[in-house]
Amino acid sequence: MRVLLLNGPNLNMLGSRQPEVYGRDTLADVEGLCVAHGRTLGISVLCRQSNYEGKIVGWIQDAHHKYDAIIINPGAYTHSSVAILDALLAVNLPTVEVHLTNIHRREEFRHHSYVSKAAWGVLCGFGVQGYLMALDALAHRLSPTKTMEA
């Protein structure tokens, strides 16, 4: 199984940007944990991060027929990007949306997610563990031996 892990704007600043909100783990830490955890699940994880919406849209489009699923933390684009939503809908890959913080406990404008409309599931508020939970969920849901619908 191949999973594309996408991180949006400002996530390259993890570890130094508001550590009291986002934690002290860097993006490299997060990516390393995801690649290692994916390996234990038999999943190949490719990690990408961009501060540019068009680049993220391009990666999503390129994922069509190359990846089995997408995990995305769209950062601030969560609340504003119809383009990312449309790209996810177009490729129609199983998608899990991840947020380090609980977006519903934050400012009201953060409560709405365009990306959620294309996601199988949303994990928010679990910190870095949310990414690992997303991999676990995809491994279970996409398993060829799965006997129960999630």
Side-chain angles (χ1 to χ4, degrees):
M1 185 185 318
R2 292 180 47 116
V3 172
L4 179 61
L5 171 60
L6 297 175
N7 281 288
N10 298 311
L11 288 159
N12 57 310
M13 301 295 294
L14 284 178
S16 61
R17 174 186 174 224
Q18 295 178 279
E20 70 282 359
V21 175
Y22 298 105
R24 298 212 179 274
D25 291 308
T26 66
L27 183 59
D29 295 335
V30 172
E31 291 174 345
L33 286 169
C34 289
V35 169
H37 188 61
R39 200 174 301 123
T40 68
L41 298 170
I43 298 172
S44 172
V45 179
L46 177 69
C47 304
R48 297 276 187 253
Q49 185 278 329
S50 181
N51 294 319
Y52 302 99
E53 182 180 33
K55 189 165 233 171
I56 296 168
V57 168
W59 287 331
I60 292 167
Q61 292 172 352
D62 289 345
H64 195 57
H65 300 299
K66 293 179 185 172
Y67 291 89
D68 300 297
I70 295 172
I71 296 172
I72 186 168
N73 180 342
Y77 290 136
T78 302
H79 323 293
S80 64
S81 183
V82 174
I84 291 174
L85 167 63
D86 286 348
L88 289 168
L89 292 172
V91 299
N92 195 32
L93 288 170
T95 300
V96 178
E97 178 182 356
V98 174
H99 298 282
L100 295 165
T101 65
N102 183 345
I103 61 174
H104 303 289
R105 293 188 68 181
R106 298 191 61 200
E107 304 92 338
E108 186 154 342
F109 74 88
R110 296 185 194 275
H111 298 181
H112 179 265
S113 168
Y114 283 99
V115 174
S116 293
K117 295 193 181 307
W120 265 6
V122 179
L123 292 160
C124 64
F126 294 102
V128 173
Q129 187 66 28
Y131 289 94
L132 306 180
M133 293 165 72
L135 284 166
D136 289 338
L138 287 170
H140 172 75
R141 187 133 187 209
L142 297 176
S143 169
T145 59
K146 181 176 72 88
T147 59
M148 294 177 43
E149 188 60 36

